Amino acid sequence: MKGRIHSMDTFGTVDGPGIRFVLFMQGCALQCQFCHNPDTWDTKGGRQVTVEEVLREIEPYVPYYKSSGGGITVTGGEPTLQAPFVAQLFKACKERFGLHTALDSSGFCEPSHAGELMRYTDLVLLDLKQLNNEKHERLTSQPNDRILKFAAWLSAIGKPVWIRHVLIPGITDQAGDLTLLGEFIGHLRNVEKVELLPYHRMGVYKWQQLGRPYALEGVPTPTDREVERARELIEAARRVTASRP
């Protein structure tokens, strides 16, 4: 079986616990205005590789991953678009190396498509971008109903999740939207961690290289205080929701 990938990183430290091998898959159904890898959107881009080829890239670094409590993270793009390939890769990583496996996903996936993949996934890094459906569609080009359904399914099957939310001043940081996010997280029973990721402009040059207009031109990076305010709003709503019978 072959998968279409964008790139690899042998020393990732921000995509799950420990030191990790990070594999970027090619192709995404969303077109987020803040995406720092728009070159991963095209499903026909990148290059094709086999599971064995990826395993050979991982093998020299396995001692570092295991000693740090790390493993492999598959991200993108959107890795669930190639769920059968990622499932086979995770299965092989577990059987051959005993590695922890993490899936970094937008959740834009039908649960029926991800059942086999979840068998070999230890942790899902779930990106919840915007709870307001109209704003979500404006921000990502797609509605969020499928994403919320996927999140609820992960909770129902007890799959450990880290929720990730990119904080964009004026776009995803409004009090009402953050409260909605906290309330939604409060209904989930599988969330181990909530990560607020400050918006950054490091991928803007890729938009320029692709000749695409960048919709968030002029939007600043949030301050530490703005990030803390967002965290407080999310956690307050989460606690109230989780405490209800």
Side-chain angles (χ1 to χ4, degrees), residues 35-236:
C35 182
H36 56 272
N37 288 316
D39 47 338
T40 65
W41 291 353
D42 184 3
T43 56
K44 297 180 181 178
R47 61 187 176 94
Q48 288 190 311
V49 297
T50 64
V51 168
E52 268 311 313
E53 287 174 321
V54 179
L55 293 176
R56 286 199 293 270
E57 295 287 341
I58 295 172
E59 190 165 18
Y61 309 100
V62 166
Y64 298 100
Y65 303 145
K66 297 187 76 170
S67 65
S68 71
I72 177 174
T73 297
V74 177
T75 180
E78 176 47 57
T80 60
L81 287 180
Q82 301 183 68
F85 174 82
V86 181
Q88 288 303 306
L89 175 61
F90 278 0
K91 181 175 185 287
C93 283
K94 286 187 163 301
E95 291 177 349
R96 189 171 304 184
F97 305 133
L99 286 182
H100 178 275
T101 58
L103 183 79
D104 182 12
S105 173
S106 71
F108 194 75
C109 174
E110 287 297 326
S112 59
H113 185 62
E116 182 72 5
L117 174 55
M118 285 303 109
R119 285 184 60 192
Y120 306 107
T121 300
D122 295 313
L123 174 68
V124 177
L125 311 177
L126 184 63
D127 303 311
L128 295 183
K129 304 171 192 301
Q130 172 60 262
L131 264 287
N132 179 292
N133 189 52
E134 182 179 337
K135 292 179 181 179
H136 188 280
E137 191 161 357
R138 192 159 60 240
L139 182 65
T140 71
S141 81
Q142 296 286 355
N144 66 8
D145 53 334
R146 182 181 293 185
I147 294 167
L148 302 185
K149 176 183 175 183
F150 188 79
W153 175 68
L154 291 176
S155 179
I157 65 172
K159 184 61 60 177
V161 160
W162 290 7
I163 298 293
R164 292 176 143 186
H165 179 68
V166 178
L167 193 69
I168 310 172
I171 296 175
T172 65
D173 68 340
Q174 295 181 8
D177 296 333
L178 295 169
T179 296
L180 280 177
L181 176 60
E183 290 173 347
F184 182 77
I185 295 172
H187 286 294
L188 306 177
R189 296 293 178 259
N190 59 335
V191 177
E192 296 184 342
K193 189 175 185 179
V194 177
E195 293 186 319
L196 279 181
L197 308 179
Y199 163 76
H200 62 73
R201 295 174 48 83
M202 288 188 288
V204 174
Y205 75 95
K206 293 185 180 182
W207 290 73
Q208 295 167 344
Q209 290 175 345
L210 293 168
R212 294 176 178 269
Y214 189 66
L216 302 188
E217 194 62 54
V219 174
T221 296
T223 65
D224 291 345
R225 180 66 194 108
E226 288 170 331
V227 173
E228 187 56 34
R229 164 192 169 271
R231 190 182 311 281
E232 290 169 357
L233 287 167
I234 292 169
E235 288 302 324

